[in-house]
């Protein structure tokens, strides 16, 4: 038998399961499982990609200076305190690699994003799950779970897969009362869907223990490009850049992201349509006896009566060519996460759930 083995803990990591994209035997499916923008990327990003194709033989910028400058300009942030990665997932990984070692602890909430736990285990640290209060982050529970070993606290706001959100006053209270060795990481993957919300950027400006991550995968429609960024204290950025590979983003990704972030009209259009259709979808599902919490993201967490009903509903939807996301792995076996698609998609999924609840199988 081979003596070649990974370091302890790696084989304890459960594989990440992304949203399904196909159903066997069903063509022309509507994918509502991965929280993608149904309108795709802005036209400016597509044009930037076409132009960048002519430079595919060139290595990309290693410092991402142009993209960081654009992010800083749009959001009013210091570009020197911005780092870019292949999705915000990579930056989460950087943070665990750089700050969490064996015997350290990394806190995440009960229904938090799966990559927090995975990245903590890869670093050799212990992930610590903290209960939520009716699917909403409980700041007191997080503070109670902190110890001298706590190095990172991950908090998605809005949260995935619940769609719920906590107010800035609570986040400020959390940051103020964390142990001195602990970084608070505010995951703002869905921040653009909340009008007037800065994702916690002002907290990064005013404190030394807060990091904010963001992504181009959601409202900007660039999930296939894998581009994310973070805003952090300079001392943290200096650490993370020692972990980051020099060419982690391609020329094409950098060009697409810079064009996308400058298109404020596209962001507003996407946010407005999402808000309208999210409200409509939640109300339509409620009329069919399927409740959901008030969502602040681009999805609705539909709560069925039992794990068995959720499984049966998912199977029925797949037969109709509708792919949604089961979230049992997030501790929500009775729920289905449904991305807010375009209007025809929202109407179709609501109609089919209505048929299911009426007894059609």
């Amino acid at each position: 038998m081979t003596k070649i083995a990974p370091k302890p803990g790696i084989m304890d990591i459960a594989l990440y399961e992304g949203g399904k994209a196909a159903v066997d035997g069903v063509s022309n499916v509507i994918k509502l499982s991965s929280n993608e923008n149904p309108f795709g990327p802005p036209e400016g990003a597509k044009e930037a990609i076409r132009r960048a194709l002519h430079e595919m033989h060139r290595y990309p910028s290693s410092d991402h200076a142009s993209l960081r400058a654009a992010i800083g300009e749009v959001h009013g942030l210091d570009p020197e305190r911005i780092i870019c990665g292949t999705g915000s997932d990579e930056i989460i990984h950087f943070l665990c690699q750089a700050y969490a070692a064996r015997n350290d602890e990394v806190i995440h909430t009960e229904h938090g994003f799966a990559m927090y736990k995975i990245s903590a285990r890869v670093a050799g640290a212990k992930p610590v799950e903290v209960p939520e209060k009716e699917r909403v982050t409980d700041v007191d529970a997080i503070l109670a779970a902190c110890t001298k070993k706590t190095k990172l606290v991950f908090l998605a706001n809005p949260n995935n897969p619940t769609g719920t959100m906590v107010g800035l006053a609570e986040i400020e209270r959390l940051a103020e009362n964390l142990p001195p060795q602990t970084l608070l990481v505010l995951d703002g993957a869905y921040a653009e869907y909340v009008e007037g919300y800065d994702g916690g950027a002002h907290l990064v400006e005013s404190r030394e223990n807060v990091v904010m991550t963001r992504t181009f995968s959601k409202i900007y429609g660039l999930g296939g490009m894998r581009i994310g960024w973070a805003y952090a204290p300079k001392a943290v950025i200096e650490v993370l850049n020692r972990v980051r590979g020099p060419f982690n983003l391609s020329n094409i990704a950098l060009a697409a992201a810079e064009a996308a972030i400058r298109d404020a009209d596209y962001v507003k259009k996407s946010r407005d349509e999402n808000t309208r259709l999210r409200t409509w979808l939640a109300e339509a599902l409620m009329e069919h006896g399927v409740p959901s919490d008030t969502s602040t993201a681009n999805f609705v967490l539909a709560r069925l009566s039992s794990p068995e009903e959720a499984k049966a509903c998912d199977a029925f939807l797949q037969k109709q060519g509708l792919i949604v996301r089961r979230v049992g792995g997030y501790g929500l076996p009775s729920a289905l996460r449904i991305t807010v698609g375009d209007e025809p998609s929202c109407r179709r999924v609501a109609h089919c759930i209505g048929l299911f609840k009426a007894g059609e199988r």
Side-chain angles (χ1 to χ4, degrees):
M1 292 181 67
T2 180
K3 294 184 178 180
I4 300 170
K7 66 182 182 181
I10 295 297
M11 296 310 294
D12 295 331
I13 298 171
L15 292 175
Y16 179 85
E17 294 185 20
K20 290 183 64 172
V23 178
D24 291 342
V26 180
S27 59
N28 299 318
V29 297
I30 297 172
K31 184 186 176 191
L32 300 172
S33 58
S34 296
N35 302 339
E36 297 151 333
N37 187 333
F39 308 112
E43 287 302 317
K46 296 178 185 177
E47 178 56 32
I49 290 169
R50 286 189 285 267
R51 291 195 303 268
L53 292 175
H54 300 291
E55 297 293 321
M56 287 180 67
H57 59 301
R58 304 294 186 191
Y59 276 97
S61 159
S62 62
D63 62 6
H64 312 145
S66 185
L67 176 56
R68 289 189 295 106
I71 293 169
E73 178 184 331
V74 169
H75 290 287
L77 305 176
D78 178 1
E80 295 300 314
R81 298 174 63 178
I82 294 171
I83 186 172
C84 300
T86 52
S88 53
D89 298 12
E90 186 180 39
I91 297 169
I92 290 166
H93 199 65
F94 291 162
L95 286 159
C96 288
Q97 284 181 300
Y99 288 99
R102 191 163 182 81
N103 297 321
D104 290 334
E105 295 176 349
V106 175
I107 286 177
H108 63 91
T109 63
E110 180 182 3
H111 306 303
F113 184 38
M115 287 308 301
Y116 307 148
K117 182 187 298 185
I118 290 173
S119 294
R121 288 194 183 278
V122 169
K126 176 185 177 182
V128 177
E129 183 176 292
V130 173
E132 298 176 7
K133 188 178 292 184
E134 295 185 349
R135 298 167 301 282
V136 178
T137 295
D138 185 340
V139 167
D140 289 322
I142 292 174
L143 291 172
C146 287
T147 71
K148 292 180 180 180
K149 295 180 179 181
T150 305
K151 293 297 182 68
L152 294 163
V153 172
F154 285 105
L155 173 58
N157 202 43
N159 190 38
N160 170 32
T162 63
T164 58
M165 188 174 178
V166 292
L168 286 174
E170 280 292 272
I171 296 174
E172 289 172 353
R173 182 168 71 88
L174 175 59
E176 180 67 31
N177 290 283
L178 286 174
Q181 79 283 356
T182 305
L183 270 177
L184 172 60
V185 183
L186 299 176
D187 182 346
Y190 300 92
E192 287 87 358
Y193 288 103
V194 184
E195 190 167 6
Y197 175 50
D198 72 355
H202 78 286
L203 268 181
V204 180
E205 296 277 4
S206 62
R207 302 191 60 86
E208 293 297 315
N209 67 338
V210 180
V211 175
M212 175 188 73
T213 66
R214 302 286 277 270
T215 187
F216 285 88
S217 296
K218 303 305 177 185
I219 207 164
Y220 292 105
L222 291 171
M225 282 286 176
R226 310 307 304 128
I227 316 152
W229 59 280
Y231 191 54
K234 282 187 178 180
V236 174
I237 294 296
E238 289 176 3
V239 170
L240 298 184
N241 274 326
R242 284 165 168 75
V243 179
R244 179 181 66 85
F247 303 113
N248 59 324
L249 287 179
S250 70
N251 280 326
I252 297 173
L254 289 167
E258 183 174 345
I261 202 163
R262 294 189 185 280
D263 196 338
D265 291 340
Y266 183 83
V267 172
K268 183 179 187 305
K269 171 195 169 185
S270 295
R271 180 171 56 241
D272 290 348
E273 274 296 279
N274 179 78
T275 300
R276 179 178 73 86
L277 291 169
R278 182 183 65 203
T279 301
W280 182 90
L281 179 59
E283 291 175 351
L285 294 177
M286 190 64 191
E287 289 176 4
H288 295 309
V290 179
S292 60
D293 298 314
T294 299
S295 175
T296 52
N298 68 336
F299 56 85
V300 170
L301 186 70
R303 302 202 309 276
L304 284 301
S305 63
S306 66
E308 293 73 24
E309 187 181 40
K311 181 179 180 180
C313 184
D314 180 44
F316 178 78
L317 292 175
Q318 288 188 43
K319 289 179 182 177
Q320 314 307 312
L322 290 159
I323 305 176
V324 299
R325 182 73 180 270
R326 294 187 65 195
V327 283
Y330 284 91
L332 295 160
S334 299
L336 298 174
R337 193 191 67 189
I338 306 171
T339 301
V340 177
D342 58 15
E343 186 160 348
S345 300
C346 288
R347 290 188 177 277
R348 179 162 172 74
V349 74
H351 173 70
C352 288
I353 289 176
L355 294 177
F356 172 81
K357 292 293 287 185
E360 188 168 326
R361 294 291 190 273

